[in-house]
C-alpha cells in the first residue's frame, strides 16, 4: 500500500470528500496519529484510506476550517435542486 503525507493546502477534492465522509463531525484526539518526519519533527495527522493508498493529512486549524467550508458548500449545492412552489393561473393568452 502506498503511503502519502498531504498538507491541507494540497488536498484534492477526492481526498477532501473522503475526509468529510470519514469525519462528518470533525476529528478528535483519538483520530490523530503522531509520527516523526525525516527532519525529526513531530507531525500530527488524520488517516484516510483508498483501495491502494493511505493518506496522512497533516492537521492544522486550516484543515478543520477547510473541511467545514467544503461540507457547507456541498450542502449549498444540494439546495440548488430544490424548487419553490408557485401558483399557476389558468388565465393566460394563447396567441
Amino acid at each position: 500500500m502506498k503511503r502519502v503525507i498531504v498538507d491541507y493546502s494540497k488536498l484534492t477534492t477526492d481526498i477532501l470528500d473522503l475526509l468529510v465522509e470519514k469525519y462528518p463531525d470533525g476529528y478528535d484526539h483519538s483520530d490523530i496519529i503522531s509520527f516523526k518526519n525525516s527532519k525529526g519533527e513531530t507531525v500530527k495527522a488524520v488517516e484516510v484510506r483508498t483501495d491502494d493508498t493511505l493518506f496522512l493529512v497533516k492537521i492544522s486549524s486550516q484543515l478543520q476550517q477547510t473541511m467545514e467550508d467544503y461540507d457547507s458548500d456541498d450542502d449549498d449545492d444540494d439546495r440548488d435542486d430544490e424548487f419553490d412552489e408557485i401558483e399557476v393561473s389558468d388565465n393566460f393568452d394563447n396567441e
Side-chain angles (χ1 to χ4, degrees):
M1 178 173 279
K2 187 166 96 172
R3 297 174 190 220
V4 179
I5 300 171
V6 183
D7 188 62
Y8 86 94
S9 63
K10 299 189 184 198
L11 288 177
T12 65
T13 54
D14 292 336
I15 298 171
L16 204 45
D17 282 338
L18 292 170
L19 275 170
V20 170
E21 182 179 316
K22 184 170 182 178
Y23 307 106
D25 298 321
Y27 50 85
D28 61 27
H29 294 290
S30 64
D31 299 315
I32 298 172
I33 299 168
S34 295
F35 60 93
K36 299 268 185 193
N37 65 12
S38 60
K39 297 177 185 176
E41 302 166 330
T42 300
V43 177
K44 294 185 179 194
V46 289
E47 180 181 298
V48 180
R49 293 176 186 254
T50 62
D51 292 336
D52 61 348
T53 307
L54 169 67
F55 293 98
L56 294 175
V57 182
K58 292 182 191 178
I59 292 180
S60 66
S61 58
Q62 291 92 349
L63 172 62
Q64 187 66 34
Q65 189 61 48
T66 299
M67 288 173 63
E68 289 173 7
D69 291 346
Y70 185 75
D71 192 35
S72 175
D73 289 346
D74 280 351
D75 292 345
D76 291 344
D77 290 344
D78 292 342
R79 287 188 209 127
D80 290 342
D81 295 336
E82 295 176 7
F83 297 96
D84 291 330
E85 289 187 28
I86 60 170
E87 186 175 322
V88 178
S89 172
D90 290 334
N91 299 327
F92 61 91
D93 293 332
N94 274 341
E95 293 184 30

